[in-house]
Amino acid sequence: MTYADIIVDISHEKLDKSFQYLVPEKMKDEIQVGMVVSIPFGRGNHVRKGYVVGISDEPKVKGIQLKSVAGIENDQETTESRLIALAGWMKENYGSTMIQALKTVLPIQKKIKAQEKRWITLLISREDGEKLLEELSMTRFKARIRLLEALLQNENGKIETAWASKELGTTASVLRYFEEQGIASVESDEVYRNAVADAENIPHVAPAVLSISQQMAVNQILSEWEHPDPRPVLLHGVTGSGKTEVYMELIDKVIKEGGQAIVLIPEIALTYQTVRRFYGRFGDKVSVINSRLSLGERYDQFKRAKQGELQVMVGPRSALFTPFGRLRLIIIDEEHESSYKSENSPRYHARETAIHRAKLEGARVILGSATPSMEAYYRAKEGEYVLVKLEARFEERPLPRVSIIDMREQLKKGNRLALSLELREDLSQCLKKGEQAMLFLNRRGYAGFVSCRSCGHVMKCPHCDVSLSEHNGRKLICHYCGYETVKPDKCPVCSSPYIGGFKAGTQQIQQVVEKEFPEARVLRMDYDTTRAKGSYEKILSAFSRHEADILIGTQMIVKGHDFPDVTLVGILAADLSLNADDYRSGERTFQLLTQAVGRAGRGRKEGHALIQTYSPDHYSIQTAAKQDYEEFYQEEMGYRLLMDYPPAAHMMAVLGSSEDEKLLETAMHYLGLFTGKIYAGKDLHVIGPAPASVGKVKDVYRRVLYLKHENYDLLVRIKDRLEEYIEINSGFRKVNIQFDFS
Ligand SMILES: Nc1ncnc2c1ncn2[C@@H]1O[C@H](COP(=O)(O)OP(=O)(O)OP(=O)(O)O)[C@@H](O)[C@H]1O
Ligand SMILES: [Zn+2]
Ligand SMILES: [Zn+2]
């Protein structure tokens, strides 16, 4: 037996549900996810249209008489219906309501309904028009005659399509005839704003001649694409190896075959350079969306995409849902970035969602990074993805030389500044030579960990091996298991009293730098200096024109930027991300440091980088200094296996929030108990519930329960059962529950 999950109406919040129908034998081979079908619905069995969002061999509930699908509406598998099918998949796999999933996937259609006017304009001269009318009057094509008459009568030779269809009975086929014969054109009067900033001034760039290794990478990818079901490609190329050139070559192929491509990039800071590069190569086939565009501007871009005016869309996570009709390629650049994971329900990951969309559309996926996520590299090793490598920089330019600066020694040398003596020396050399430097203050994941400035010891959870977080200045808490201890006033290792939180800011760094190097021109890029529209572009373009010598910033300045005159990179407080209260902190640190180091020496001059740290022996720091991904991966995978963290196992977080702390505690406790009842196997690890990393936001308390298991589908099934349990239990009415998979 075949069953179809069908959504009936996407505009009614009440019907936020899919319904299961039987698929009659004769439709079994034809029915597909995304198709529009007709079904009997409700008590009166009125025939309604529905979208197929899933197909299975098993009924969801046994022993119930299901209705059957009445018919398949042929030719109705549209871009939109495929996106709706994608939403159905997201709902099932990430846990959310169907409406939330639909709003994610079709965000714009739900908000704005366009009142677009289209015009039919006469293209031929009036004389030719009169002649044609004479010829036509001999035929039986009355609708053509009526339209031509009306156009000739109108002073401007221009009438509205809506009017023509109502008053003259003009059909689409009549319009097609007029267009094909070159008699008239049909155009909308909306002038679409170009979303590419400063587009007129971007010079056209001819395709680069690929290096041998780039060409080999392209060939490897193309040969995978010859398979009927090509696997996703993980393009692992060191910083500055020219991954973008590889992307552009493949996009070019796709466009020439009549296809379309989506390029995801992680943050707005990147769009300035990346968009320029893509626009330079492909011109106005390219557009961009980002969160700084107005709703109307975003709408325009999606509409242009839908109408086939665009071939390439560049943007952040949400660009994944660009309604292209012939989508053939999805590229996710800097694949390891955490911004590809949604923070709202459905908490989807762009990587998996892209792979699923590609499957529905017949597209391929490329994931690119110099520092792949553990998940992606693991999948590539397992053969689920194809691993393609670029092992050297373009033109064999050397990777930067890296020194690790042990900050514990600085304290002994009497230097209490955030800049080490070594970094100050190198900065002054760099300035003397007229080269540029970047100072990166690592603020990512700063969550109140406690460490010793004398010996570097960090207070960690004895059960989870993650940093403990300070609460109210007195307690230390683990955000995975809830372990608590009193904050010590002396270091338990070296007895030093210098144990406490870590404080540093970009502004302070700027003051220090300006005092030490009064002649240097300094730019700062952080949250405060980039709030105004256009400020990213301003700072980055000023720096790239060498109008400043030093750029100081947070992680914003690290990723993807290509400044050929930068020869020195200084990384301050490398430990901050290492000590985040998260099992991914080692991975994040390695990625940030490797990417930051990778900004140096990209032009013809050699680069140098300094990493300042209190934990010089940590493998994340050691391997980032060597820029040795493989060695890092082996170490990190050992830890993940030992602790059962992803990708060694799958993890589902059950996030509860409520204004009532007691109620929340009880509710989460019962969810934990119920989980034990659903699945009693020893291989399911249930951890917590514990207060969430940010335990209380605006008077709303938050707690988390973690479940770990090797089998993703098992976790999804547990999620389904928990959802049912929550729905029927009144104790959850004032508790909000969300699911988060990793
Ligand atoms: N085939 C080529 N011809 C000319 N220049 C190239 C070529 N390949 C790469 N480059 C240049 O080398 C530099 C680095 O390339 P690119 O920015 O594409 O690297 P990347 O792999 O994306 O780096 P990262 O991961 O660090 O962002 C750029 O300035 C780029 O223009
Ligand atoms: Zn100590
Ligand atoms: Zn713990």
Side-chain angles (χ1 to χ4, degrees), residues 674-684 718:
F674 184 67
T675 306
K677 274 189 207 148
I678 307 171
Y679 186 84
K682 278 209 193 81
D683 47 354
L684 178 76
I718 293 178

Side-chain angles (χ1 to χ4, degrees), residues 336-404:
H336 60 277
E337 274 297 314
S338 57
S339 63
Y340 286 128
K341 174 86 186 286
S342 171
E343 295 285 313
N344 302 316
S345 244
R347 295 172 174 252
Y348 69 96
H349 197 292
R351 191 190 318 121
E352 299 156 8
T353 310
I355 291 170
H356 194 76
R357 180 166 185 203
K359 212 183 267 172
L360 294 172
E361 308 263 3
R364 307 93 164 190
V365 175
I366 298 178
L367 312 168
S369 177
T371 52
S373 63
M374 291 298 289
E375 281 78 9
Y377 206 69
Y378 179 78
R379 304 249 146 82
K381 289 223 156 197
E382 299 272 294
E384 221 178 292
Y385 302 166
V386 187
L387 185 60
V388 175
K389 288 191 179 194
L390 287 172
E391 285 177 293
R393 279 188 162 180
F394 176 61
E395 289 184 332
E396 307 291 317
R397 289 171 194 167
L399 286 167
R401 199 159 42 81
V402 185
S403 327
I404 297 176

Side-chain angles (χ1 to χ4, degrees), residues 476-493:
L476 297 179
I477 288 192
C478 168
H479 288 305
Y480 283 96
C481 70
Y483 169 85
E484 266 189 48
T485 181
V486 189
K487 185 183 154 192
D489 42 5
K490 269 191 301 188
C491 172
V493 175

Side-chain angles (χ1 to χ4, degrees), residues 208-209 214 239-245 277 394 560 562 599 602:
V209 178
Q214 287 167 341
T239 54
S241 57
K243 293 183 286 294
T244 316
E245 298 298 334
R277 278 174 84 175
F394 176 61
D562 192 37
R599 295 315 107 197
R602 293 168 74 92

Side-chain angles (χ1 to χ4, degrees), residues 493-527:
V493 175
C494 74
S495 305
S496 147
Y498 290 113
I499 186 156
F502 203 113
K503 284 174 196 73
T506 36
Q507 227 166 328
Q508 282 104 296
I509 306 289
Q510 183 176 10
Q511 282 164 9
V512 174
V513 169
E514 281 174 345
K515 203 162 153 234
E516 288 282 314
F517 306 100
E519 74 289 355
R521 295 164 301 168
V522 179
L523 279 172
R524 192 176 101 225
M525 189 157 143
D526 55 19
Y527 179 71

Side-chain angles (χ1 to χ4, degrees), residues 177-384:
Y177 172 81
F178 274 62
E179 281 191 298
E180 277 167 10
Q181 300 294 317
I183 306 165
S185 66
V186 184
E187 272 160 5
S188 73
D189 63 352
E190 274 178 78
V191 185
Y192 294 116
R193 282 151 287 190
N194 197 324
V196 177
D198 204 21
E200 323 72 65
N201 297 320
I202 301 178
H204 178 74
V205 183
V209 178
L210 295 189
S211 67
I212 292 174
S213 49
Q214 287 167 341
Q215 191 57 55
M216 274 165 55
V218 168
N219 293 347
Q220 228 180 315
I221 294 169
L222 289 178
S223 81
E224 178 67 26
W225 288 2
E226 275 167 19
H227 296 218
D229 265 320
R231 291 172 289 168
V233 169
L234 174 61
L235 179 61
H236 177 205
V238 297
T239 54
S241 57
K243 293 183 286 294
T244 316
E245 298 298 334
V246 172
Y247 301 153
M248 291 201 287
E249 186 69 17
L250 293 163
I251 291 171
D252 194 55
K253 283 236 154 43
V254 162
I255 295 177
K256 286 193 176 130
E257 290 166 10
Q260 294 157 326
I262 293 172
V263 183
L264 300 187
I265 53 178
E267 266 182 38
I268 318 169
L270 252 178
T271 58
Y272 169 72
Q273 272 200 337
T274 314
V275 173
R276 270 183 89 88
R277 278 174 84 175
F278 282 95
Y279 198 86
R281 169 92 179 248
F282 299 111
D284 54 16
K285 290 191 177 77
V286 180
S287 190
V288 51
I289 56 164
N290 63 50
S291 56
R292 296 197 174 203
L293 293 181
S294 70
L295 217 55
E297 286 169 318
R298 277 151 75 89
Y299 173 73
D300 281 356
Q301 304 320 312
F302 268 20
K303 193 149 162 210
R304 290 172 70 198
K306 197 167 174 179
Q307 291 173 347
E309 285 172 39
L310 295 175
Q311 268 61 55
V312 184
M313 182 64 89
V314 181
R317 192 176 67 219
S318 61
L320 179 56
F321 306 112
T322 305
F324 276 139
R326 293 182 312 278
L327 181 64
R328 292 296 171 264
L329 176 59
I330 304 173
I331 291 170
I332 305 186
D333 191 28
E334 311 287 350
E335 157 284 323
H336 60 277
E337 274 297 314
S338 57
S339 63
Y340 286 128
K341 174 86 186 286
S342 171
E343 295 285 313
N344 302 316
S345 244
R347 295 172 174 252
Y348 69 96
H349 197 292
R351 191 190 318 121
E352 299 156 8
T353 310
I355 291 170
H356 194 76
R357 180 166 185 203
K359 212 183 267 172
L360 294 172
E361 308 263 3
R364 307 93 164 190
V365 175
I366 298 178
L367 312 168
S369 177
T371 52
S373 63
M374 291 298 289
E375 281 78 9
Y377 206 69
Y378 179 78
R379 304 249 146 82
K381 289 223 156 197
E382 299 272 294
E384 221 178 292

